[in-house]
Amino acid sequence: MRTSSFIACIALVVLCSTLANAQLSSTFYDTTCPKALSTVKAAVKAAVANEKRMGASLLRLHFHDCFVNGCDGSILLDDSSSLTGEKTARPNANSVRGFDVVDTIKSNVEAVCSGVVSCADIVAIAARDSVVELGGPSWTVQLGRRDSKTASLSGANNNIPAPTSSLSALISSFSNQGLSTKDMIALSGAHTIGQARCTNFRTHIYNETNINSAYATSVKANCPSAGGDNNLSPLDVQTPTAFDNKYYANLQSQKGLLHSDQELFNGGSADSQVTTYSNNQNTFFSDFAAAMVNMGNINPLTGSSGEVRKNCRKPN
């Protein structure tokens, strides 16, 4: 009897594990909101056409959301008398953007099916559609996330890797979220689009040696040694608004804008994977798509957990 009870317990654990992994589904809205994906896609297409940088901003929103208590839409919550949000955290303040676009998408989706599609899922879909709009790979977004009723300022301050991170710190930060080193290097390729603020790379261009001197000089023109903290420079100096593999070629030439970027190609364990991606864009695209699915699976709220917010900026 003891043996059979033990086997039954093991079977139950396996079943629960399987159910946990199957909580999200690519067909989640097929019957409840069949126009959900096309509605999000149209809004993202319009937003990126209006400002190409917005594609990078929407992709970054998903990353900064998932790294704080999972992909639960918590980054979208505004501060209120009863809630301290994540927007004022060091990695997000004066930096994370795209909230108005998410509001527009939410409004458009609500018009076709009210109270069905979560803000967390909208962020995940918008990230994929943004990459596609800028020439990158597509992937099947797993859906069914629900929205958090709370946020974590401390989680945002502590869990999102800093632009000053070492390679070991990057590996550890991603590992803490259940992501592999391979995932980390592939996801870093998101920096093939977007811009960074001077305050986040000033030390790298003025005080560090693992940077191309001519490149450093060119970036200094828009990032003085003092002041101009919010001046922007492209993360990919070659093709800043095209999603491609040039980011990795830049690293090989010591043209990584952030310290954390150049750490991926600095005589360490990540060098070979950077070289692979630099030589083969298809491999990068395939690995990036797989890593985005993995990232989107970080601790989602499903079933009866959380809620589907009516307004992405505040709990119901």
Side-chain angles (χ1 to χ4, degrees):
M1 288 296 293
R2 288 182 178 176
T3 301
S4 61
S5 297
F6 177 74
I7 292 173
C9 288
I10 292 295
L12 183 61
V13 170
V14 171
L15 176 62
C16 290
S17 176
T18 301
L19 289 173
N21 291 331
Q23 286 173 331
L24 302 182
S25 164
S26 62
T27 60
F28 190 81
Y29 297 115
D30 281 9
T31 55
T32 55
C33 190
K35 294 183 178 179
L37 272 73
S38 60
T39 302
V40 176
K41 182 178 181 180
V44 170
K45 190 178 186 71
V48 175
N50 182 58
E51 182 198 6
K52 287 202 169 184
R53 183 187 171 205
M54 187 54 66
S57 297
L58 292 172
L59 174 58
R60 189 164 179 250
L61 262 185
H62 188 34
F63 173 65
H64 281 223
D65 182 31
C66 291
F67 265 57
V68 184
N69 295 339
C71 310
D72 60 2
S74 60
I75 193 171
L76 305 174
L77 291 169
D78 286 340
D79 286 2
S80 70
S81 58
S82 59
L83 184 149
T84 301
E86 298 165 13
K87 292 179 179 179
T88 58
R90 286 188 303 275
N92 296 335
N94 302 313
S95 176
V96 172
R97 56 200 296 273
F99 300 111
D100 291 344
V101 173
V102 173
D103 290 341
T104 298
I105 297 172
K106 177 65 171 175
S107 178
N108 293 353
V109 171
E110 287 292 300
V112 297
C113 50
S114 179
V116 176
V117 182
S118 68
C119 300
D121 274 349
I122 285 172
V123 170
I125 300 165
R128 187 271 310 274
D129 292 347
S130 293
V131 170
V132 172
E133 279 301 304
L134 295 175
S138 185
W139 58 91
T140 301
V141 180
Q142 300 298 304
L143 301 165
R145 300 168 190 81
R146 287 167 65 84
D147 298 321
S148 171
K149 300 177 184 179
T150 62
S152 176
L153 180 67
S154 62
N157 277 324
N158 295 321
N159 297 353
I160 298 169
T164 54
S165 296
S166 65
L167 179 59
S168 61
L170 289 170
I171 291 171
S172 177
S173 178
F174 280 71
S175 177
N176 289 341
Q177 302 296 336
L179 298 172
S180 68
T181 299
K182 180 180 180 181
D183 289 332
M184 181 273 289
I185 299 169
L187 289 170
S188 296
H191 285 181
T192 188
I193 53 175
Q195 302 184 64
R197 295 182 299 145
C198 171
T199 186
N200 287 326
F201 57 82
R202 178 182 283 118
T203 298
H204 181 51
I205 64 172
Y206 280 96
N207 300 336
E208 298 179 4
T209 57
N210 61 335
I211 185 169
N212 178 286
S213 58
Y215 170 65
T217 298
S218 69
V219 177
K220 288 174 183 177
N222 196 43
C223 181
S225 57
D229 282 3
N230 292 320
N231 292 357
L232 298 170
S233 288
L235 288 158
D236 175 355
V237 69
Q238 291 193 69
T239 52
T241 59
F243 198 99
D244 53 27
N245 65 337
K246 295 296 191 294
Y247 166 80
Y248 298 102
N250 292 336
L251 298 185
Q252 290 181 307
S253 302
Q254 289 192 310
K255 296 178 181 177
L257 182 65
L258 306 177
H259 172 88
S260 56
D261 287 328
Q262 198 57 57
E263 279 289 285
L264 299 185
F265 195 84
N266 195 33
S269 60
D271 285 16
S272 61
Q273 193 173 332
V274 168
T275 299
T276 296
Y277 291 161
S278 177
N279 292 336
N280 193 322
Q281 181 167 280
N282 288 337
T283 300
F284 162 51
F285 277 12
S286 177
D287 288 357
F288 181 83
M292 285 298 294
V293 173
N294 291 340
M295 187 182 81
N297 285 337
I298 298 174
N299 298 327
L301 296 173
T302 58
S304 59
S305 299
E307 63 184 9
V308 175
R309 285 188 220 131
K310 296 182 180 73
N311 180 337
C312 290
R313 293 176 180 265
K314 61 182 182 180
N316 294 340

